[in-house]
Amino acid sequence: MKLSIGISEKNLNQVATLLTSTLSDEMVLYVKTRNFHWNVSGESFMELHKLFEGQYNELEKAIDEVAERIGKLGRNTIGTMKEFTENSRLKETPGSYPAQKDMLKQLLADHESLITHLRADVDECADNLKDAGTADFLTGLMEKHETMAWILRRYLN
Ligand SMILES: [Fe+2]
């Protein structure tokens, strides 16, 4: 059934495409954070093991919200690992088991990359696609990533 919420079909498609990229990025970052939760070792093992758990739980909530936002715009949400990796702008590094500091650096780089994409997407949704709701939603999501990035950065300073 077609939506009648004051946003054109063309714009709804574009917003859904943009949200699909974000969803895929979130999935890759979620899996990477879980991977590091499992594989971290060394002096601060328990500290980082718990830190990563807290962050992947945050990411899991975000993933659900992004996926359901796509549904609210009347579009199908991708839900296979194949599609997530194909649509993600973040890269996975199979077979790599970095040291603690490199784990923190890699996660921070991914959060910063996501924040940069989200900032551009907020403007795109508000200015060009006339979707204030998604712009607001993505602003909140960007702030969550800014908090996670801040915490990771503190370990590296
Ligand atoms: Fe665990």
Side-chain angles (χ1 to χ4, degrees), residues 34 37-38 49 53 56:
R34 271 211 99 120
H37 164 79
W38 292 326
H49 183 67
E53 181 173 359
Y56 75 63

Side-chain angles (χ1 to χ4, degrees), residues 20-104:
T20 298
S21 296
T22 299
L23 176 65
S24 305
D25 289 346
E26 299 282 357
M27 282 298 295
V28 165
L29 186 50
Y30 168 79
V31 171
K32 195 177 289 187
T33 307
R34 271 211 99 120
N35 174 356
F36 291 171
H37 164 79
W38 292 326
N39 287 299
V40 68
S41 64
E43 236 176 67
S44 311
F45 163 73
M46 191 48 79
E47 167 76 24
L48 294 182
H49 183 67
K50 285 182 182 166
L51 170 75
F52 296 153
E53 181 173 359
Q55 293 206 338
Y56 75 63
N57 283 332
E58 284 269 329
L59 292 167
E60 193 194 334
K61 277 186 237 154
I63 285 162
D64 208 47
E65 287 169 7
V66 177
E68 287 168 8
R69 175 104 207 136
I70 297 170
K72 287 175 196 172
L73 300 176
R75 300 296 182 269
N76 284 328
T77 306
I78 59 168
T80 65
M81 300 309 290
K82 188 173 186 293
E83 288 164 298
F84 292 136
T85 40
E86 278 169 4
N87 284 284
S88 178
R89 292 160 293 203
L90 303 180
K91 295 278 163 281
E92 295 193 303
T93 50
S96 158
Y97 300 95
Q100 286 184 354
K101 203 172 178 183
D102 289 323
M103 287 182 171
L104 291 162

